[in-house]
Amino acid sequence: MSASRARRRDVAIVSFAQLPPVRRDTARDETELVQPVVTAALRQAGLTRQDIGFTVSGSCDYLIGRPFSFVTALDGVAPWPPIAESHVEMDGAWALYEAWVRLQQGDVDTALIYAYGKSSLGDLPAVLTMQLDPYYLAPLGIDAVSLAALQARALLDSGRATERDLAVVAAARRGGAVAELLATPYLVAPLRRHDCPPISDGACAVVLAAGDAARRHARPAWIRGIDHRVEPHQLGSRDLTRSTSTAIAAEHAGVATIGPIDVAELHAPFSHQELILRDALGLGAEVAVNPSGGALVANPMMVAGLTRLGEAAARIHDGRARNAVAHATSGPCLQQNLVCVLSSEVAS
Amino acid sequence: MNRCAIIGIGQTHHKAKRQDVSIAGLVREAAARALADAELDWKDIDAVVLGKAPDMFEGVMMPELYLADALGAAGKPIMRVHTAGSVGGSTAIVAAQTVISGVHRRVLTVAFEKQSESDAMWALSPRIPFQPQLTAGAGGYFAPLVRAYIHRTGAPDDVGMMVAVKDRQHALKNPYAHLRIKGIDLAMVRDSPMLWDPIRYLETCPSSDGACAMVLTDEDGARAAPRPPAWVHGLATRSEPVVFAGRNQVDPQAGRDCARDVYAQARIADPRRDIDVAEIYVPFSWFEPMWLENLGFAASGDGWRMTASGVTALGGALPINPSGGVLSSNPIGASGMLRFAEAAMQVRDQAGEHQVDGARRALGHAYGGGSQFFAMWIVGRDRP
Amino acid sequence: MDRDEEVLEAPYRLEYTYQRSTGPVIGRFLGALRDARLEGVRTASGSVMVPPLEYDADGAATGEPTVVGPGGVVTTWAWVTEPRREHPLPHPFAWALVRLDGADSAMLHAVDAGSIDAMRTGMRVVPRWQDERTGSIRDLACFVPESAAAAAAAAAAAAAASAAAAGDDRPPVTMFPSPVALDYTVTAGRHLSAYLRALAERRIVGGRCPVCTKVYLPPRGACPTCGVPADAPVEVADHGVVTTFCIIRIPFDAAPFPPPYASVAVLLEGADMPIFHLLRGIPPEEVRMGMRVRAVWVADDQLGPTLASIRWFEPTGEPDAPHDQIARHL
């Protein structure tokens, strides 16, 4: 069953708040990352925490090296009296998906979603090695940048992109002259530093509302479709130059049927991945991609995906966009992908 | 809003060390049994919802990525839930909600822990700068709650031992149980070492490797299933802060609220009368009487009387943990789902030697963190 | 925000050697590596998967093992100029996906090619084996560009391993150790830092919530029930009442003393929630709920920004607090 075929309850993103991501935030613990964004998102939605029907968060223990970090983070929403709540050990975009599913049930009308991540505390490339198959991959010690570089090489070899194309993406997101970027040395060839994401700490929060609860807002960003898919883990079993899971999710989310798309927020931590994703989503040159700068500008782990959904919704909230596509990714070389289609128009 | 039914249930043989399998092998053992029970193949599944406790247990971060193909999820949605000890229950609830909402028709939900890859004490509490030094070990967190319960209710000190004996006797009837202690009796429990006074060794749960899986589906799927389904009559979660001034950790409000919600959905007015059997999360024996009160089976202060009367043993009026419970098998991430699955097995008349005759409605219960996260479902033989 | 230098930081290494049980399929492959051989497994669709798993990409069980390689083709690669500590080679090398002869999928490993100029997609490589092999993916040291000499070396290693294996009844590979060491810089955050710094001055400073007026130890970025910062500084006493306790009677790694000893929750005068600490100066069996206790601080030269600045608590000898004073606390 796909999200696009069956009749769904109309659900919208009605507010989005984020901390400006920074390279290293030593002053805030996880509670202090969560509290301000939750407070801001609720205020923006005109709700109190007692109004919220369901709360769900995304975070990952390994980023800070401590089990159960989400337990203290929960204090940031002050769950008293007790609340209906859940947590995914994933990017917050999947927490939003869980909330969207929950709202389909019809008995609650609002959901609060938050995500936080402090990537700066650990050695992030080594931490991400822990995501790999523990028998054949993790013991080799291959890091996240090297994995992405294997994918980038495959894309270059396919003839569908050049190193210059990668630099054009990087220049568009983070500035700089293409020729100068290309003159810099490789980090892990064929990737240069500008092709790779920064390490960032951050947090964000989103409020979802359904039906009339959403219609109270001036310009809700209606979720017209949302879907996520995963691919096999072993890189040697995948075509690294295509994001088949993104394509499937896009089909189920209705990317092709929404009409003209004004903006796309793609969670592409590496420059070549933006090209692969544009291709998988069928986005034409007319679509403004990552006006926020995307993950090449700030990449707080577990937050950056939900941020894409929030940034895309914010463009609808302020009237700059009518239809938007948002995307989140997880795992090595775009292994898992979520696609969300947002519109200022509720489904007819 | 659709109805949700459980049509496939599988679990591993739980052991201290399942060194005969890989992590994938462990989860596939449970998942394959659930699929076989439902007479379905991997390709029949629309989505997978995976749950487990901290990733440090196995040293695999976000293992839904590594396990995607092992669980037949390639090209499909997969999610990973983590709500501490309640995660097995929360995971089943997330999976059920995808069916109830009409998003998916057939969902595989799996929870596991392979604790022997590391050491539970280490993985739960690595020594981290600025964090309070753990001076009492894992049970040191819960023993003071047990002491407070005994103090508040005046319960005699053998009630905990009675639970320890009863659940292990139940486990002797469950071929999947980890601890199968022949001849278990009060003397054996009393003579076991006192660890965290007032908690004795045999009043604590083991550390296990194991997995549990279920196939959930909608009404059409239930009709097509080869065996009678268990129907979801209600499901709920509640969370509260781990600490706050004046918090009642012995009888947490979140547990009471969660029970009230799930009973209301299932139209249960009197849980003691309307529920035939319950699988509740009892990692230390004294949590049985504590939860009996929190769940409304007994009045405040009377939980220990209910346990002492024998009502909660197999053959009693309200059997609690006929499977042997967490005291007999504890793969942490799966322990909550095992409670949910065992409840469903009871109403499907599938529990073999530990079947409660005529069980029509059952409660599955899980809790986690500092007695702060609760997940519950009511399942029934009849379509709601 | 407070200045960063007021925040405490410390290095922290998350380190453990996991014990991986392999199951039959991975174990067989690692056993073959130990014998300097490469094997794949046949999937239900008839393709050959390397490295072998118990399942194919669709979850279906895989079948019989089959010999592959030893040579193969690089399908993609990346060049590492500055190897990391955990990488397999200490000098610049390539990561590559290598499709071994006879295989349909590619495996990831390192290629020791000497120079980035020696690497290209489609090049042929052969394995280089470790001299000492234990049954791990690292028994395959790396691949090297195919040459007569490299092929001969690989063949010689395989032949020697085969001869050794013939007269050898080593058990199959079922387990391997997998050491993990991740380095973090842990920060205490500004509220916890302020609390810990006060302890170094023999002061216990909590934070009051402006809404519910409760005093928290340590101060918090969010009052757990009100959702606003509970950080208005309030100094509380270093004495209070035991609300509950447990007696630890087993030895374990982090134990501060030989058992038995008491771990107590102490509600300090002026605070609204207890802190957990040790109690000394009384036989464990005499510890009571309601007992009045006071902090025993370490010597001045041992004070530091840590709760260990309080060595333990000890009884004051005053009459116990009435039960209703502690009834709502644990």
Side-chain angles (χ1 to χ4, degrees):
Chain A
M1 289 288 283
S2 79
S4 56
R5 272 174 267 158
R7 176 66 184 152
R8 301 276 176 236
R9 195 173 185 216
D10 297 321
V11 172
I13 294 176
V14 297
S15 79
F16 166 62
Q18 62 181 323
L19 285 178
V22 296
R23 172 62 182 84
R24 195 151 178 274
D25 188 337
T26 57
R28 289 189 177 92
D29 62 21
E30 49 266 35
T31 308
E32 292 159 324
L33 284 170
V34 168
Q35 192 268 349
V37 294
V38 163
T39 303
L42 288 172
R43 188 187 307 122
Q44 200 187 111
L47 298 170
T48 68
R49 55 199 175 85
Q50 285 81 12
D51 297 326
I52 294 294
F54 181 64
T55 301
V56 56
S57 61
S59 69
C60 178
D61 285 344
Y62 257 110
L63 292 179
I64 63 169
R66 195 176 86 220
F68 305 114
S69 70
F70 62 90
V71 174
T72 38
L74 185 60
D75 282 353
V77 304
W80 186 259
I83 61 172
E85 188 259 348
S86 182
H87 171 259
V88 294
E89 192 86 351
M90 307 177 79
D91 187 286
W94 278 264
L96 184 143
Y97 178 83
E98 184 181 330
W100 174 82
V101 169
R102 180 68 187 83
L103 289 177
Q104 295 303 320
Q105 253 174 269
D107 56 331
V108 294
D109 296 329
T110 53
L112 170 67
I113 301 100
Y114 64 90
Y116 66 93
K118 289 189 84 168
S119 313
S120 70
L121 299 183
D123 174 4
L124 187 60
V127 169
L128 291 175
T129 300
M130 303 300 294
Q131 279 187 338
L132 304 173
D133 158 6
Y135 309 99
Y136 298 146
L137 296 179
L140 289 175
I142 187 165
D143 59 283
V145 176
S146 295
L147 287 164
L150 286 169
Q151 183 180 37
R153 170 75 58 198
L155 182 66
L156 298 178
D157 286 343
S158 75
R160 301 206 313 277
T162 63
E163 290 185 30
R164 187 185 161 76
D165 295 333
L166 273 52
V168 167
V169 170
R173 302 296 155 252
R174 59 204 324 183
V178 171
E180 284 170 23
L181 293 179
L182 284 171
T184 60
Y186 291 121
L187 184 61
V188 177
L191 295 178
R192 297 176 169 87
R193 192 163 292 284
H194 59 252
D195 295 312
C196 304
I199 288 169
S200 320
D201 293 347
C204 74
V206 165
V207 174
L208 290 187
D212 290 342
R215 287 187 188 88
R216 280 199 290 272
H217 295 267
R219 282 182 65 87
W222 296 100
I223 295 175
R224 296 287 294 272
I226 184 167
D227 195 272
H228 63 97
R229 303 283 155 162
V230 73
E231 293 177 41
H233 183 64
Q234 297 293 333
L235 299 180
S237 305
R238 291 170 52 192
D239 176 357
L240 294 176
T241 71
R242 309 269 180 192
S243 185
T244 55
S245 54
T246 300
I248 300 170
E251 187 196 333
H252 287 269
V255 171
T257 55
I258 189 70
I261 295 164
D262 305 307
V263 62
E265 281 284 341
L266 309 183
H267 186 192
F270 296 89
S271 58
H272 68 276
Q273 293 177 338
E274 185 178 310
L275 301 175
I276 292 172
L277 291 167
R278 290 177 77 125
D279 191 37
L281 290 161
L283 300 179
E286 73 286 357
V287 180
V289 171
N290 288 352
S292 69
L296 280 171
V297 171
N299 190 36
M301 298 298 295
M302 308 301 128
V303 180
L306 181 59
T307 301
R308 304 281 75 73
L309 276 69
E311 290 278 6
R315 299 249 150 193
I316 292 173
H317 293 159
D318 66 16
R320 281 179 291 176
R322 193 161 157 265
N323 295 326
V325 170
H327 159 270
T329 196
S330 176
C333 299
L334 302 173
Q335 189 192 343
Q336 187 177 24
N337 296 282
L338 179 146
V339 176
C340 181
V341 176
L342 295 161
S343 177
S344 59
E345 303 294 314
V346 70
S348 50
Chain B
M1 196 163 133
N2 297 331
R3 294 191 172 91
C4 177
I6 300 102
I7 59 165
I9 299 173
Q11 63 183 292
T12 58
H13 286 98
H14 314 297
K15 287 193 166 66
K17 294 173 189 277
R18 282 295 309 269
Q19 292 182 337
D20 57 322
V21 289
S22 63
I23 296 170
L26 187 77
V27 297
R28 282 170 61 82
E29 186 176 311
R33 285 184 179 138
L35 289 171
D37 185 17
E39 293 183 15
L40 294 174
D41 195 1
W42 298 102
K43 65 177 170 18
D44 299 318
I45 295 298
D46 299 330
V48 179
V49 183
L50 179 70
K52 69 175 298 298
D55 293 351
M56 280 96 187
F57 273 123
E58 293 83 9
V60 184
M61 171 181 172
M62 303 164 76
E64 72 278 7
L65 297 166
Y66 145 64
L67 289 170
D69 9 354
L71 291 169
K76 300 173 187 173
I78 187 169
M79 293 185 68
R80 155 74 191 294
V81 180
H82 178 15
T83 62
S86 61
V87 64
S90 311
T91 304
I93 286 175
V94 172
Q97 278 164 347
T98 68
V99 172
I100 291 166
S101 65
V103 174
H104 299 308
R105 287 204 51 211
R106 282 189 291 249
V107 179
L108 174 68
T109 185
V110 185
F112 78 98
E113 210 72 72
K114 197 163 182 304
Q115 292 179 222
S116 70
E117 303 265 316
S118 69
D119 170 78
M121 282 278 262
W122 171 83
L124 289 173
S125 53
R127 286 189 231 178
I128 300 170
F130 313 124
Q131 298 298 315
Q133 192 76 16
L134 194 77
T135 52
Y141 187 87
F142 291 104
L145 306 187
V146 169
R147 183 173 298 280
Y149 174 77
I150 294 170
H151 187 80
R152 288 175 190 187
T153 62
D157 73 352
D158 62 350
V159 172
M161 292 188 275
M162 294 174 67
V163 175
V165 171
K166 176 204 61 143
D167 281 8
R168 270 51 171 273
Q169 284 173 337
H170 290 173
L172 290 169
K173 298 174 185 293
N174 178 0
Y176 295 102
H178 169 185
L179 287 186
R180 298 167 58 81
I181 308 169
K182 300 248 160 45
I184 180 80
D185 61 13
L186 281 176
M188 208 185 281
V189 178
R190 183 178 287 114
D191 293 345
S192 69
M194 186 66 87
L195 305 183
W196 300 283
D197 198 343
I199 299 177
R200 292 172 179 80
Y201 175 69
L202 281 177
E203 293 177 283
T204 66
C205 55
S207 171
S208 316
D209 288 353
C212 180
M214 291 187 283
V215 178
L216 309 181
T217 189
D218 58 12
E219 214 161 336
D220 288 344
R223 210 171 288 126
R227 279 173 265 282
W231 294 93
V232 175
H233 289 205
L235 38 78
T237 63
R238 284 297 184 282
S239 307
E240 68 181 51
V242 62
V243 288
F244 62 86
R247 177 168 181 237
N248 186 346
Q249 278 177 272
V250 175
D251 189 5
Q253 189 64 40
R256 288 199 166 263
D257 290 0
C258 193
R260 190 179 304 124
D261 186 356
V262 82
Y263 296 156
Q265 291 173 43
R267 296 195 175 79
I268 286 171
D270 177 354
R272 177 83 180 264
R273 183 193 66 205
D274 298 339
I275 292 172
D276 301 312
V277 52
E279 283 278 346
I280 67 179
Y281 202 104
V282 177
F284 300 98
S285 59
W286 279 98
F287 276 77
E288 175 174 306
M290 288 160 65
W291 292 146
L292 288 175
E293 295 172 29
N294 192 245
L295 288 164
F297 289 122
S300 282
D302 280 351
W304 65 269
R305 289 191 175 86
M306 191 171 161
T307 292
S309 74
V311 168
T312 63
L314 261 173
L318 180 66
I320 302 286
N321 295 333
S323 68
V326 180
L327 283 174
S328 303
S329 309
N330 186 33
I332 294 182
S335 290
M337 189 173 286
L338 285 165
R339 308 282 70 71
F340 278 45
E342 287 281 353
M345 286 166 64
Q346 289 289 345
V347 300
R348 296 179 80 201
D349 206 9
Q350 201 184 12
E353 269 196 81
H354 64 280
Q355 177 67 41
V356 174
D357 285 342
R360 303 197 72 81
R361 280 219 280 198
L363 167 71
H365 162 277
Y367 87 96
S371 299
Q372 64 182 131
F373 301 120
F374 292 84
M376 302 178 196
W377 78 6
I378 301 279
V379 286
R381 183 171 299 197
D382 302 319
R383 196 171 62 96
Chain C
M1 195 181 302
D2 294 356
R3 295 194 312 276
D4 269 6
E5 52 269 30
E6 292 177 0
V7 173
L8 295 168
E9 293 189 6
Y12 162 55
R13 175 170 275 199
L14 183 66
E15 187 167 29
Y16 198 82
T17 297
Y18 288 88
Q19 300 299 321
R20 301 273 178 234
S21 59
T22 61
V25 174
I26 295 168
R28 186 185 160 101
F29 177 73
L30 297 180
L33 293 184
R34 193 176 58 183
D35 294 340
R37 289 183 291 111
L38 288 157
E39 282 187 357
V41 69
R42 208 166 280 285
T43 68
S45 64
S47 65
V48 174
M49 174 196 281
V50 183
L53 296 168
E54 293 133 85
Y55 44 86
D56 65 18
D58 297 317
T62 49
E64 291 303 304
T66 176
V67 173
V68 295
V73 174
V74 169
T75 64
T76 187
W77 57 279
W79 187 257
V80 177
T81 313
E82 293 176 34
R84 299 173 56 87
R85 182 185 67 198
E86 57 276 13
H87 283 171
L89 293 167
H91 51 263
F93 71 98
W95 291 109
L97 285 172
V98 176
R99 191 169 59 236
L100 293 165
D101 297 339
D104 295 292
S105 63
M107 71 178 288
L108 181 88
H109 219 296
V111 177
D112 191 1
S115 153
I116 188 171
D117 298 327
M119 289 300 303
R120 60 181 173 78
T121 300
M123 70 189 284
R124 288 196 55 82
V125 292
V126 294
R128 180 197 289 159
W129 298 101
Q130 302 280 9
D131 293 334
E132 295 289 324
R133 292 183 299 272
T134 59
S136 135
I137 190 70
R138 288 208 174 200
D139 285 354
L140 174 58
C142 59
F143 288 95
V144 293
E146 188 174 69
S147 66
S162 168
D168 178 11
D169 53 356
R170 282 181 300 180
V173 173
T174 59
M175 304 281 300
F176 68 91
S178 187
V180 169
L182 295 173
D183 288 312
Y184 295 85
T185 303
V186 176
T187 63
R190 56 188 153 160
H191 291 117
L192 182 57
S193 294
Y195 173 74
L196 295 173
R197 285 185 193 286
L199 286 168
E201 300 165 1
R202 296 180 189 261
R203 296 187 304 124
I204 305 171
V205 181
R208 189 186 300 279
C209 170
V211 177
C212 67
T213 73
K214 302 290 187 193
V215 173
Y216 278 89
L217 294 177
R220 295 170 163 262
C223 169
T225 61
C226 305
V228 299
D231 58 359
V234 176
E235 186 157 348
V236 305
D238 68 351
H239 53 85
V241 175
V242 172
T243 59
T244 187
F245 64 97
C246 97
I247 310 298
I248 291 91
R249 296 190 184 275
I250 45 157
F252 69 101
D253 281 357
F257 315 108
Y261 59 94
S263 170
V264 293
V266 181
L267 185 65
L268 296 172
E269 196 173 301
D272 286 296
M273 53 179 296
I275 63 169
F276 284 85
H277 218 297
L278 302 163
L279 181 67
R280 304 284 277 174
I282 182 173
E285 55 275 16
E286 291 176 25
V287 178
R288 302 175 301 280
M289 293 162 89
M291 174 175 275
R292 294 185 191 276
V293 296
R294 67 173 158 243
V296 177
W297 296 83
V298 298
D300 280 358
D301 59 352
Q302 290 170 9
L303 284 168
T306 161
L307 195 55
S309 287
I310 298 174
R311 290 177 78 186
W312 51 65
F313 282 78
E314 65 179 12
T316 65
E318 299 162 273
D320 287 1
H323 179 67
D324 58 0
Q325 193 178 329
I326 58 166
R328 291 187 55 253
H329 295 280
L330 279 176

